[in-house]
Amino acid sequence: MGAVSAFSLNRTIAGLALGALLLTGCGSSLDENGGNGSGDGRSDGTVKIGLLVPLSGVYAPIGEDLRDGFQLYLDEHDGKLGGRDVELVTADEGEGPQTGVPAAQKLVTQDRVTAVAGVVNSATALGLRDFFDESEKPLLIANAGADDITGTRKSDYVWRTSFSNGKVSAALGPTVAEEAEGSVYLIAADYAAGKEMVAGFRKTFEAAGGKVAGEKYTPFGTTQDFQPYLSAIRKSGAKAVFAFYAGAEAVSFVKQYKQFGLAGRTPLYGTGFLTEGGVLAAQGTAAVGVKTSLHYSTQLDSARNKEFVDAYTEKAGKSPTVYAVQGYDTAGVLDTALAEASGDSGKALVEALRGIGSINSPRGTWKFDADHNAEQTYYLREVRAEAGTAVNTVLGELG
Ligand code: BEZ
């Protein structure tokens, strides 16, 4: 299904489900604050937080990293946020809105959480926006980059601790325009995030004089054999490639790019999701030389990052990823907001979110912009083999 039709369907699913829950009384009725009354925590002072991440499907490893980052923050803070014990209710986002939207609605209307954090897939985020806006319940998006969420469809109740698709890819455009020795082929997963990653890249790339050799969107979640697409890239005569894939698709794409003989001849660029964490470990040396833009690398040379990398590696038994950092920072943001808020209503919590200043994160210092999006530094990274392990070496900051 194309991004636009999937988006309309998601809105319909969300709207119908919200209406049905309120009509049948399965959901709580709206309280005097316009909220659903489920934001008052429990009488013992415990605060209930919903964590919605994919635990199944192509993005399951991303969901696990995000959850592990969130959990690390809790472990480092005695299981408390805002000084209160936390009951974390985790739900499976699955592969998109068909599973993610009902799971989020259950967290709000049945589990009666104070806020929901998580959401990896842009299509899920777009499908959830109206539900959270209408039920006046805070949603802290800890990954999904759908541009409109902090753009034309911004909501008082939706905040993002991660990135927007167009921005993370736009950061790379001028570098590729300067480095590529000819036209560039654009390829991405066929859904909202893929389209926006390409659009954001294309804008700054063409503005800097870059030329596009061809553009292709591959079926999301089902493409395992990239050979026909790699063949089209070769035929196009492109001198470099820009790609957006994440999770299992990123592993297949980068490995097949090497097997097909393109690596080394046709430089591969992308947003950092292409070579992140477990994905990079699975790609191994096939990823060496791939250059990406992202707001994090385990290789960032700061005391804050080193401390985080050590703590996460010890707890999780693997290196952290951008997803783990986003989960960790989301817990930190909730900690501050809950401590500052006058009550647990959605209104009180978003008021406190508005007052949050700079966040001292392993990714570097960042803050929310006026549209509730993360304002942060993007880095240029290159995969290099260090002591036999592929890592995302930081080459510098992107303007
Ligand atoms: C997204 O759907 O927005 C997304 C998923 C994985 C990595 C980056 C973005």
Side-chain angles (χ1 to χ4, degrees), residues 59 62 120-123 143-146 163 165 191 193 197 244 246 273 323:
Y59 286 165
I62 298 180
V120 164
N121 184 310
S122 277
N143 185 70
F163 58 90
N165 294 325
Y191 79 107
M197 295 277 182
F244 165 73
F273 317 103
Y323 313 111

Side-chain angles (χ1 to χ4, degrees), residues 287-301:
V288 168
V290 178
K291 284 189 181 170
T292 61
S293 55
L294 202 65
H295 44 288
Y296 182 67
S297 165
T298 51
Q299 306 302 300
L300 279 177
D301 189 15

